[in-house]
Amino acid sequence: MEEFFILMKSELIVLVIMFILLIIKISSDEMKNESLLRLVNILLLLNFIAGCFFNRTGSLFGGMFTTGTLIAFEKSLLNLGTLLISLQTYDWLKKHEHVSEFYLLLLSTLVGMFFMISSNNLLMFYLGLELSAIPLTALSNFDLEKRRSSEAAMKFIMSSAFSSGMLLFGISLLYGTTGTLNFAAISGALTGSPLQLLSFILLLAGFGFKISAVPFHLWTADVYEGSPVSVTAYLSVISKGAMFFVMASVLYIVFKPLAATWYNMLFLLAVLTMITGNLFAIRQNNLKRFLAFSSVAQVGFILIGLSGSSQEATASVIYFIMIYIFSNLGAFGVVTLIASKTGKESVEDYRGLYHSNPWPALVLTLSLFSLAGIPPTAGFFGKFFLLMAGAGKGNYLLITIAALNMVVSLYYYLRIVKAMFMDTNETPLQKLEISMLPQISLLLCVAGLLTIGFSTTLYDYIYALSPTF
């Protein structure tokens, strides 16, 4: 029994927080939004701290659920990202009627992602996936009075249903040809038959939808634009991060015997995703759509690291996602702040932002520099390790294409910086009052962007935890 509580510590703590929220919700003396938000953020902070200690390696439910130091670290990253997003939502949620419902849905998705990451069985993986996807659809519709939010939720649930259908079909074919759903057992039974290759393609397409890889990315911009900014940030960072953690396990464990085959597919996906994401990002004037296509391009770089299929590849992907949490949430934090205060989201609205609001402009600039991979921000080191892992395969054409795409991305990231620092605006944004909790979130993002890159200890720690291929 003691082992059960320790191995499922992350899931159980989140469930306890959800029960506390439910009790508060049904109690006769409902808390004020400000008090409730402070309480939730304290609980999320304690959840993050608790996730960093007393971790143990083991398995439950006949080996369907496994955990270890690396998995606990991945869950802690998701806890950290959720905490940062929660801090950023303070100004928006304090005026909202359904704060408890928002966090109940958010934490439900987090539990689903935890089960996904700990899965050692395709059935457990699928259940975790659905548990994370369905509440996320409801969150996309959380701007209840806005029609485009409902449209975003409808598009999201349609694309999720389609991708889940493909995943389930691929899993059923795999089960039919191998007779098992256990990761290691499937790997031992793979022969490379046409039916198994088809099942792999279906699974890869399902993953492609979830991470917004081209050509499965078409839902991304519309859903990002229609969803509340905080939900968009969650979709862009936490949801994708969890999927990449699982994808690495599925590729490196389940489909290890087909590594030569899936390398070529990842190569094609990475090239298409980088180029398409960059080309569409150039054209965007809405910042949420801009960050949507920027995140599509970033997925291409992560796929390059993933294609390395080595200990370095696993470490580089996890390390980059850690940096990506700070970079993207720094950018989304500023967009959330301005959207909640003024409702403005276009690039034109950000002209002259530095002159009226220097701190948000500096945070957004630093975040964009990190996303572009400009030294000495952490994003430079993250992309460096991704490309080094990809170069381990000796495919220098892929690395050259990635380098050229980094140059292209510089243009559209600097376009935003130029608008904030150099362009004039006849109707500039007024000086914004930033609440303490969003301020803390932005400070944490800035600290992460400026320090992680220079700390080799973190990368060495992740590398030591990563399994060999």
Side-chain angles (χ1 to χ4, degrees):
M1 184 59 74
E2 180 191 348
E3 187 182 20
F4 173 83
F5 284 107
I6 293 178
L7 295 181
M8 293 206 68
K9 179 188 61 175
S10 300
E11 291 78 8
L12 292 174
I13 292 174
V14 176
L15 287 174
V16 167
I17 297 174
M18 291 172 67
F19 275 113
I20 293 172
L21 289 172
L22 276 174
I23 292 168
I24 293 172
K25 180 65 183 175
I26 62 177
S27 65
S28 55
D29 299 324
E30 198 168 332
M31 295 175 70
K32 290 183 178 178
N33 280 358
E34 288 86 349
S35 304
L36 181 58
L37 287 168
R38 290 191 194 98
L39 173 65
V40 171
N41 283 301
I42 290 170
L43 292 173
L44 289 177
L45 175 62
L46 294 175
N47 174 45
F48 168 65
I49 295 170
C52 299
F53 300 100
F54 308 114
N55 295 309
R56 189 186 295 176
T57 301
S59 62
L60 293 169
F61 313 126
M64 292 177 72
F65 179 96
T66 61
T67 189
T69 314
L70 181 64
I71 290 175
F73 182 78
E74 291 172 346
K75 290 177 181 176
S76 294
L77 287 182
L78 299 184
N79 281 331
L80 175 62
T82 305
L83 172 63
L84 291 174
I85 291 171
S86 176
L87 293 171
Q88 293 174 0
T89 59
Y90 179 80
D91 286 331
W92 172 58
L93 281 180
K94 73 179 181 182
K95 297 175 286 186
H96 208 286
E97 296 178 4
H98 305 288
V99 176
S100 298
E101 289 87 341
F102 177 85
Y103 279 105
L104 287 170
L105 290 169
L106 190 78
L107 295 175
S108 297
T109 69
L110 194 61
V111 172
M113 289 172 197
F114 285 174
F115 276 109
M116 250 186 352
I117 294 171
S118 282
S119 60
N120 191 39
N121 180 291
L122 284 175
L123 187 58
M124 175 69 81
F125 158 69
Y126 186 75
L127 290 174
L129 178 70
E130 290 303 308
L131 182 58
S132 67
I134 294 172
L136 208 45
T137 308
L139 283 173
S140 300
N141 191 27
F142 221 73
D143 268 340
L144 300 174
E145 73 284 0
K146 295 182 180 177
R147 183 178 174 181
R148 66 176 184 176
S149 189
S150 302
E151 291 175 357
M154 183 57 71
K155 286 178 183 175
F156 190 42
I157 199 166
M158 294 292 286
S159 62
S160 290
F162 188 60
S163 63
S164 294
M166 285 199 297
L167 269 171
L168 203 54
F169 188 35
I171 290 171
S172 64
L173 289 180
L174 206 55
Y175 179 69
T177 56
T178 61
T180 179
L181 292 173
N182 179 272
F183 281 7
I186 291 173
S187 180
L190 284 181
T191 59
S193 67
L195 208 54
Q196 288 176 352
L197 287 177
L198 176 61
S199 69
F200 171 73
I201 291 171
L202 289 169
L203 281 169
L204 187 63
F207 276 113
F209 269 105
K210 300 297 182 185
I211 61 174
S212 303
V214 176
F216 313 108
H217 68 293
L218 298 175
W219 61 273
T220 310
D222 291 338
V223 173
Y224 278 27
E225 185 181 9
S227 303
V229 185
S230 304
V231 177
T232 305
Y234 192 83
L235 279 166
S236 172
V237 178
I238 309 301
S239 179
K240 281 187 183 177
M243 285 309 297
F244 271 112
F245 295 149
V246 182
M247 199 173 169
S249 298
V250 171
L251 288 178
Y252 291 176
I253 298 173
V254 180
F255 292 104
K256 185 177 179 179
L258 305 180
T261 304
W262 57 252
Y263 174 77
N264 293 323
M265 296 183 188
L266 284 193
F267 168 79
L268 187 61
L269 279 181
V271 171
L272 287 175
T273 304
M274 282 186 297
I275 293 174
T276 307
N278 278 335
L279 290 180
F280 278 87
I282 291 173
R283 303 174 51 195
Q284 303 306 317
N285 282 317
N286 179 285
L287 274 165
K288 285 201 286 186
R289 292 184 74 87
F290 167 79
L291 288 171
F293 283 108
S294 157
S295 74
V296 169
Q298 300 290 337
V299 166
F301 290 101
I302 301 174
L303 287 173
I304 292 177
L306 201 59
S307 70
S309 54
S310 61
Q311 188 175 4
E312 289 83 0
T314 307
S316 67
V317 169
I318 298 172
Y319 183 70
F320 182 82
I321 288 171
M322 179 175 62
I323 292 169
Y324 186 64
I325 286 173
F326 291 110
S327 307
N328 231 26
L329 292 187
F332 271 111
V334 175
V335 176
T336 303
L337 174 71
I338 293 175
S340 65
K341 300 278 187 184
T342 66
K344 296 184 175 178
E345 297 175 355
S346 73
V347 175
E348 284 76 14
D349 297 326
Y350 280 61
R351 287 178 177 167
L353 179 68
Y354 175 73
H355 303 292
S356 57
N357 294 277
W359 169 239
L362 287 170
V363 175
L364 184 54
T365 300
L366 194 60
S367 302
L368 295 177
F369 279 2
S370 184
L371 288 170
I374 296 175
T377 57
F380 167 76
F381 298 97
K383 283 189 177 171
F384 174 76
F385 285 120
L386 283 178
L387 297 185
M388 287 295 289
K393 286 287 185 182
N395 189 343
Y396 297 110
L397 173 63
L398 180 59
I399 306 305
T400 305
I401 294 172
L404 291 173
N405 273 280
M406 286 179 70
V407 175
V408 174
S409 70
L410 273 177
Y411 167 74
Y412 58 76
Y413 286 123
L414 291 178
R415 183 169 70 95
I416 309 296
V417 176
K418 172 181 172 291
M420 291 189 294
F421 283 82
M422 302 176 69
D423 289 356
T424 56
N425 191 344
E426 294 181 359
T427 55
L429 294 174
Q430 294 179 345
K431 177 72 176 174
L432 301 175
E433 293 294 329
I434 307 177
S435 305
M436 183 180 69
L437 296 183
Q439 191 80 271
I440 291 172
S441 175
L442 294 180
L443 281 170
L444 289 172
C445 289
V446 169
L449 293 175
L450 292 177
T451 58
I452 289 178
F454 294 102
S455 171
T456 57
T457 309
L458 265 176
Y459 178 80
D460 292 340
Y461 176 70
I462 297 170
Y463 182 83
L465 295 179
S466 303
T468 55
F469 184 70

